[in-house]
Amino acid sequence: MPTFSKFIDGQRGSQQMVDSDGFIYSRKKPKDTALYSAWRCRKRTPPTKCPCHAYLTLMDNSLTLGSKPHNHPADNAAPQRREVLSTLKRKAAEQPLSVTQNILSEVLADSTPETNQTLPSMESLARVVQRSRAAASGSAQHTEATTSEDFLLPPTCTSTRRCEPFVLYDGKTRKNVRVLAFSTARNLAKLAEHNNWIADGTFYVAPRNYW
């Protein structure tokens, strides 16, 4: 008989339960009572449609399974995989100015090679970090501006980690075109120490009205 193992965060932030066999359950709140919480196997959509239910006693966390067993094997790497994804999302929200690759390297270094082999591709993991960062900063809720004048800078783009102003210039050209320039006084002083400057453009990350 499996026993309660731990709680983990689901893909959408909801709490899930893991038993000692590695099966993962989602909460079934309408079936809760004063004595226990009700759960059902997370693989409940077709084609698997697992019928297994479980009941967790609130007093001592003892686990009781329903009459119908699981109709699929346990994915023993799933709980660890979920923990890695939850950690990525949390660190992206806590460190909005950290480079995506640095967050990925830090989290994956703390995970096991066996778990890392079951994770999505690095491109998919990078998107997880970027979406979580955007949601935490509020930029995900920004509507696409129809003109450059309507575009509002997210707060995370206006200052550095050292709380230095980062918007060097926000104005218009003689042709009434809005121009945004980003830098700090310290960065300009460092540029002034050198005769040769090398420039590059990453236009795909800019709002549409700026390229």
Side-chain angles (χ1 to χ4, degrees):
M1 175 68 68
T3 58
F4 168 77
S5 178
K6 59 184 174 180
F7 293 115
I8 60 174
D9 291 330
Q11 291 182 341
R12 299 182 180 179
S14 60
Q15 188 183 61
Q16 295 186 329
M17 179 185 69
V18 184
D19 69 17
S20 56
D21 288 342
F23 289 102
I24 301 177
Y25 303 81
S26 299
R27 191 74 174 270
K28 194 176 181 182
K29 290 185 178 180
K31 297 293 184 179
D32 286 355
T33 70
L35 299 178
Y36 60 79
S37 57
W39 304 79
R40 59 185 176 186
C41 180
R42 71 181 180 93
K43 288 185 176 294
R44 60 183 184 274
T45 56
T48 305
K49 213 170 184 179
C50 182
C52 186
H53 288 71
Y55 305 91
L56 185 67
T57 304
L58 301 179
M59 183 176 296
D60 58 3
N61 278 349
S62 60
L63 189 66
T64 303
L65 296 185
S67 59
K68 297 180 179 180
H70 293 281
N71 61 2
H72 61 92
D75 182 359
N76 293 319
Q80 291 76 21
R81 189 165 58 243
R82 289 290 183 87
E83 287 187 356
V84 170
L85 294 175
S86 296
T87 302
L88 283 175
K89 294 177 182 179
R90 176 174 54 79
K91 287 187 176 292
E94 294 173 350
Q95 305 171 22
L97 299 180
S98 292
V99 178
T100 298
Q101 187 58 48
N102 291 348
I103 294 177
L104 290 174
S105 299
E106 178 184 349
V107 173
L108 296 182
D110 291 336
S111 180
T112 64
E114 292 77 15
T115 299
N116 291 345
Q117 289 177 357
T118 68
L119 292 171
S121 66
M122 290 298 289
E123 291 79 7
S124 297
L125 293 177
R127 286 195 291 271
V128 169
V129 173
Q130 291 158 2
R131 285 196 293 266
S132 300
R133 180 190 294 126
S137 67
S139 61
Q141 284 73 44
H142 287 197
T143 57
E144 187 71 33
T146 55
T147 65
S148 60
E149 288 78 7
D150 295 333
F151 176 73
L152 298 177
L153 278 173
T156 51
C157 294
T158 60
S159 62
T160 67
R161 294 183 186 179
R162 300 179 180 180
C163 298
E164 299 171 290
F166 191 54
V167 182
L168 182 67
Y169 179 79
D170 183 357
K172 296 181 179 180
T173 65
R174 294 179 180 178
K175 295 184 178 181
N176 203 36
V177 176
R178 187 182 180 191
V179 174
L180 288 166
F182 300 92
S183 184
T184 64
R186 185 163 47 87
N187 288 342
L188 289 179
K190 183 65 64 175
L191 277 175
E193 296 175 2
H194 301 275
N195 294 325
N196 298 320
W197 296 0
I198 300 175
D200 191 12
T202 50
F203 299 106
Y204 70 94
V205 301
R208 295 176 184 174
N209 295 298
Y210 285 90
W211 60 278

